[in-house]
Amino acid sequence: MKNLGLYIHIPFCVKKCNYCDFYSLGCVANGGIERYTDALCKHLKKEGELYKDREVDTVFLGGGTPSILSVELIKNVFSAINEGFRLTPSCEISLEANPGTVTEEKAKAYKQIGINRVSIGLQSVNDRELNVLGRIHTLDGFEESYRILREAGIENINIDIMYALPDQKTDDFIKTLDTVADFEPEHISAYCLKIEENTNFYKIRDTLILPDEEEQYKMYEALCNKLAAKGYEQYEISNFAKKGGRCVHNLKYWTSQDYLGFGPSAHSCIDGVRYSYSESIDEYVNAICEGNNPVKLHETEYELTEEEKMDEYVMLRLRLSDGVSPEEFENRFGVRFEKRYKKLNMYEKSGHVVKKHGNFAFTPKGFFVSNYILSDILESI
Ligand code: SF4
């Protein structure tokens, strides 16, 4: 039986950031967090009954801000995970943390309950930029959290950063890159700011001065070159790791492996079936408190056709610097790869795609415009 990944959504934050469109509640009072984690624990134990024959090799607590949970609540969640599921001895257990919510007591508890990877949202080392983003912390606050986690014995740390921020210049971003690399985390994720609907930034989008495409490309080039020089391998469009530091959980998403999601807005993909839970904490908690399962949405709508499965497989693999193997594709789907995705050859000639070890993969230049190239390839089929 194939191993499973678990994604557990903790939909609470101290305050909503100006760019964020994830499902999370900016502030919760009157025992709302306890009520949610109680329901989550019940759900984990009950759902685990269905997967007694499977082992779990990755657990990811994301959000929101999982580090907002008290020591007691995080311990409760882990007891429920262990009661419901069988974890492999080398299971990768990640938790997302935000500066300002990490204490020594919590960090020690993380280590004790087996959390072996922490992902910290820093976004920028410039306090003015942090303020514009609506983050609750400064660079000093981040340094304090990072120190606490290292001293507690967390050996695998990711730092999240962003670029193409309002009024940001390439030199500002290079300062963030250099400072972050000096911390020597095992992993760095770097995302280009996108102004999404339902965010504070969207409401004031006409007043924001954002870097143009040329400046964005300079930032992206600096990102790839600087991190390569510091010993980080780019293994996905936005993800960079020291040797052995790739995030095993996220690789499950990009290589179409099975995972189960828990919590409002969480997605699952298991034995070829996909579903999600609605973006409503009340619906999720009420269903569980009434002894029911939360409604699984889109279960049937997500049944993909064979062609959609092929295209999804290729699109996901192309996110990775290892790229897509025509041989594996043909063994899996019985369809000639180069006939279906013939336009890749054109992008190979233009230097956006390269063939390495028999696989087609994006070059850094190709990664930067990958959304455009992927839709062009799909339209040409
Ligand atoms: S801390 Fe993360 S999840 Fe919470 S509002 Fe900010 S970006 Fe969104």
Side-chain angles (χ1 to χ4, degrees):
M1 267 293 183
K2 285 179 289 177
N3 284 343
L4 272 180
L6 301 183
Y7 173 78
I8 295 157
H9 194 62
I10 306 296
F12 308 108
C13 291
V14 175
K15 168 179 167 282
K16 197 80 189 160
C17 300
N18 291 331
Y19 57 91
C20 177
D21 72 337
F22 294 136
Y23 180 69
S24 71
L25 308 176
C27 67
V28 184
N30 302 328
I33 297 185
E34 288 77 2
R35 193 165 170 266
Y36 174 70
T37 50
D38 280 355
L40 176 68
C41 290
K42 282 194 190 120
H43 191 205
L44 280 161
K45 290 185 231 172
K46 193 169 172 192
E47 198 76 358
E49 290 296 320
L50 304 174
Y51 298 98
K52 286 290 171 214
D53 54 344
R54 308 279 286 260
E55 282 195 311
V56 168
D57 61 355
T58 64
V59 176
F60 194 103
L61 269 87
T65 303
S67 54
I68 213 170
L69 297 184
S70 65
V71 167
E72 185 189 344
L73 294 184
I74 195 85
K75 284 187 172 171
N76 290 349
V77 171
F78 270 84
S79 298
I81 293 171
N82 283 307
E83 215 177 298
F85 294 91
R86 206 152 37 92
L87 272 50
T88 59
S90 59
C91 185
E92 177 191 87
I93 306 179
S94 303
L95 172 132
E96 284 185 333
N98 276 308
T101 59
V102 178
T103 62
E104 284 177 15
E105 192 199 6
K106 285 184 191 175
K108 280 184 194 147
Y110 298 160
K111 180 75 184 168
Q112 192 212 334
I113 58 186
I115 290 168
N116 48 31
R117 183 176 185 275
V118 174
S119 173
I120 315 181
L122 167 61
Q123 316 312 349
S124 164
V125 301
N126 179 318
D127 287 344
R128 183 199 63 79
E129 289 173 358
L130 290 172
N131 190 36
V132 169
L133 292 172
R135 302 287 297 174
I136 59 165
H137 59 90
T138 57
L139 174 62
D140 285 352
F142 164 82
E143 283 190 73
E144 173 73 355
S145 299
Y146 191 86
R147 181 190 60 75
I148 289 173
L149 289 163
R150 284 294 196 212
E151 283 178 9
I154 303 295
E155 289 172 0
N156 190 355
I157 293 185
N158 167 61
I159 299 179
D160 274 345
I161 55 174
M162 294 174 82
Y163 63 98
L165 308 182
D167 299 310
Q168 190 182 44
K169 300 278 175 284
T170 302
D171 283 348
D172 301 324
F173 179 56
I174 288 176
K175 179 87 179 46
T176 287
L177 278 173
D178 285 338
T179 312
V180 165
D182 284 346
F183 282 102
E184 301 187 345
E186 286 63 37
H187 191 285
I188 297 172
S189 299
Y191 299 99
C192 181
L193 173 70
K194 297 267 177 292
I195 307 297
E196 306 285 358
E197 280 183 47
N198 302 319
T199 62
N200 289 338
F201 272 171
Y202 191 79
K203 290 182 202 141
I204 56 159
R205 61 194 179 284
D206 295 336
T207 66
L208 297 174
I209 299 172
L210 297 167
D212 61 20
E213 202 164 306
E214 196 181 327
E215 186 95 30
Q216 281 185 31
Y217 186 64
K218 278 199 235 158
M219 293 183 191
Y220 181 74
E221 251 188 331
L223 169 70
C224 299
N225 295 338
K226 286 251 167 204
L227 293 190
K230 300 269 185 184
Y232 290 89
E233 180 210 16
Q234 180 177 21
Y235 71 102
E236 197 262 351
I237 296 178
S238 311
N239 286 284
F240 301 78
K242 287 259 169 94
K243 197 164 189 296
R246 293 181 177 199
C247 177
V248 185
H249 183 81
N250 284 343
L251 280 166
K252 281 192 189 288
Y253 300 143
W254 302 318
T255 53
S256 314
Q257 294 179 53
D258 286 353
Y259 55 89
L260 284 176
F262 292 85
S265 80
H267 287 253
S268 302
C269 173
I270 179 98
D271 298 329
V273 177
R274 287 144 193 264
Y275 58 84
S276 63
Y277 297 116
S278 82
E279 291 196 349
S280 163
I281 194 165
D282 286 337
E283 263 181 47
Y284 183 83
V285 171
N286 291 342
I288 294 163
C289 290
E290 286 159 14
N292 301 318
N293 278 328
V295 177
K296 292 177 177 171
L297 302 171
H298 317 307
E299 203 157 357
T300 48
E301 291 92 320
Y302 274 159
E303 279 301 332
L304 300 181
T305 64
E306 199 56 14
E307 264 120 20
E308 285 170 334
K309 279 184 195 158
M310 285 182 218
D311 294 344
E312 187 194 73
Y313 177 91
V314 172
M315 299 305 114
L316 286 172
R317 296 283 163 145
L318 279 172
R319 291 182 66 105
L320 300 170
S321 58
D322 291 343
V324 58
S325 154
E327 195 184 329
E328 270 179 43
F329 175 89
E330 287 170 17
N331 289 340
R332 191 171 179 137
F333 297 106
V335 169
R336 280 281 316 284
F337 179 86
E338 294 199 29
K339 193 165 173 221
R340 185 169 174 83
Y341 302 105
K342 49 189 175 301
K343 216 159 185 192
L344 274 171
N345 291 316
M346 184 186 101
Y347 285 108
E348 191 186 357
K349 286 192 190 108
S350 64
H352 292 91
V353 168
V354 68
K355 224 172 172 187
K356 53 180 183 185
H357 313 299
N359 288 11
F360 282 96
F362 278 126
T363 59
K365 178 173 136 183
F367 268 141
F368 185 70
V369 284
S370 56
N371 285 344
Y372 169 79
I373 296 178
L374 292 175
S375 55
D376 187 38
I377 290 169
L378 290 184
E379 274 169 24
S380 70
I381 293 172

